[in-house]
Amino acid sequence: MSGLRQMVPGSARADNPLAGSVLADNPPVADALGLYIHVPFCARRCHYCSFNTAPLDDGALTRYLAALRRELDLLAALPWAGRVRLATVFLGGGTPSLLTADDLTAALERLHSRFDVVADAEITVECNPESVTRAKLEGYRAAGVNRLSLGVQSLDDAVLERLGRLHDARGARAAFAAAREAGFANLSVDVMYGLPGLDVPGWTRAIETVLDWRPEHLSAYGLTLEAGSLWGAAGVDGLPPEQTQIDQYWQLARAAAARGFEHYEISNYARPGFRSRHNQIYWRASEYLAAGPGACGFIGRLRYANAKATPRYCEALEDGVLPVDSFEALTPRQRLAERLMLGLRLADGVPAAWLEERLAGDLPLARRVADWRDGRLLLEAGGRVRLTEAGFLLSDALFVDLL
Ligand code: SF4
């Protein structure tokens, strides 16, 4: 996985190991849901990565795939599952493209046999360039996958090596071409800025090159060093100054706009009609199921997470129980804060009434929001409030206040 992680705010964890039954008692409100499937395996761990990954040991993938099938069966057996449809499916990781076409076909067949997947469901697979071929991608397409998210990250071979990635710039270009040749008409490319050794001219060249490929969607995340990553623990030399990161952000915003992309979410750009339907479920605080180790879902008022360690996830399913090991029922106040924080990531913003409700009785926050309006970081029009491009850049500070 390279860019978007599942949006899981909140800190409270109900200590209720493998409490899958809570899902049975918390039916969803919506009749159409998303489904996130986490594929944890990576051939090697990138130096900046803090995602939930697992080594590809002998037998681990086979065991995981059996557990995943069992999990889909158990989710489909929930008392309310028969009345919901799946509108989006997203296989993230990890490196889902380590799955063979046959493995992926079997998993999706199981899904279709157990759930009502809508006819035009968006089905996305995250791919790393070194793990795909045209033949494999043709197999993915035949299995029903209709969108790929390609983890390119950089087109500078020295930077890629430093990140610990397994592909080079040529391999990234070849993977994109293979995806087109395999017939994919909806391709997203992930890139990263704020990388050590990446200056503004290098970044500009990379994004112009990627835009020349004519993807339908682009995700761009600034490097963050989090606990759990090698660099987060050991540090890394050569990080660019903050102003370079800001310049890189603006460079991308301008270049993408010049090519007709909508900057529809803080870190995401799309040609008209190609916004990620699955990721919008997260940003709109809508409901989605989760499968796979460490995957997080949101159903009814319940935010929940699966057992993170892949062996423990597999053991639960081998014992015939859902591998849910933490959950949190959101209070109305938490739900409102979350809707605001997620919704303000979108260029469409949120209803102004939501913000007014949050500000009621909180004078310090109301003053800060007034400053944001005065500084034209936050705009209100047509009954909605939204962040401007400049507001996007500074949004973390506001989101902390809103929680
Ligand atoms: S490919 Fe790299 S960044 Fe993506 S999940 Fe694997 S180790 Fe992490």
Side-chain angles (χ1 to χ4, degrees), residues 80-303:
W80 42 261
R83 68 165 179 79
V84 298
R85 294 168 292 134
L86 296 181
T88 65
V89 180
F90 192 105
L91 286 101
T95 309
S97 52
L98 288 174
L99 298 188
T100 65
D102 285 347
D103 287 341
L104 186 71
T105 301
L108 290 181
E109 280 177 357
R110 188 67 150 234
L111 184 66
H112 280 275
S113 73
R114 297 292 187 267
F115 280 93
D116 180 3
V117 183
V118 302
D120 68 341
E122 178 190 88
I123 302 182
T124 304
V125 176
E126 282 189 333
C127 297
N128 279 354
E130 75 283 353
S131 60
V132 296
T133 60
R134 175 177 171 171
K136 181 188 268 189
L137 295 180
E138 284 173 347
Y140 282 12
R141 190 150 180 269
V145 177
N146 51 28
R147 183 174 183 272
L148 299 180
S149 173
L150 191 63
V152 168
Q153 315 315 353
S154 173
L155 290 178
D156 181 321
D157 286 349
V159 171
L160 285 166
E161 193 176 340
R162 208 158 166 202
L163 294 172
R165 302 290 296 185
L166 290 170
H167 67 273
D168 58 14
R170 212 168 136 189
R173 177 73 188 96
F176 188 89
R180 282 289 191 233
E181 287 161 11
F184 282 95
N186 190 353
L187 293 178
S188 181
V189 173
D190 279 7
V191 288
M192 295 174 73
Y193 59 93
L195 298 175
L198 180 68
D199 57 17
V200 174
W203 168 249
T204 304
R205 277 194 304 279
I207 54 175
E208 291 295 345
T209 301
V210 167
L211 290 167
D212 283 346
W213 298 354
R214 302 188 58 76
E216 282 67 40
H217 188 278
L218 192 62
S219 297
Y221 289 87
L223 176 71
T224 51
L225 296 185
E226 296 188 23
S229 72
L230 179 69
W231 283 355
V236 57
D237 294 332
L239 286 174
E242 192 182 353
Q243 188 56 46
T244 300
Q245 296 202 38
I246 293 170
D247 292 346
Q248 290 175 346
Y249 168 88
W250 282 110
Q251 193 68 33
L252 174 60
R254 281 193 291 268
R259 306 283 190 117
F261 280 75
E262 300 166 335
H263 189 180
Y264 74 102
E265 194 268 348
I266 291 178
S267 304
N268 286 277
Y269 301 79
R271 294 189 185 285
F274 288 98
R275 297 182 183 195
S276 163
R277 283 161 49 194
H278 183 82
N279 290 341
Q280 286 183 96
I281 288 176
Y282 300 151
W283 299 318
R284 292 187 173 142
S286 300
E287 292 166 293
Y288 52 95
L289 281 165
C296 301
F298 179 54
I299 294 293
R301 285 193 312 123
L302 202 71
R303 190 163 288 291

Side-chain angles (χ1 to χ4, degrees), residues 4 38 90 117 121 133 174 274 342 389 403:
L4 182 80
H38 191 73
F90 192 105
V117 183
T133 60
F274 288 98
L342 294 171
E389 286 274 357
L403 274 177

Side-chain angles (χ1 to χ4, degrees), residues 1-2 40-53 93-95 128 130 153 164-165:
M1 185 175 186
S2 42
F41 303 103
C42 287
R44 188 174 76 187
R45 193 159 163 88
C46 303
H47 300 156
Y48 59 91
C49 180
S50 58
F51 300 140
N52 184 31
T53 69
T95 309
N128 279 354
E130 75 283 353
Q153 315 315 353
R165 302 290 296 185

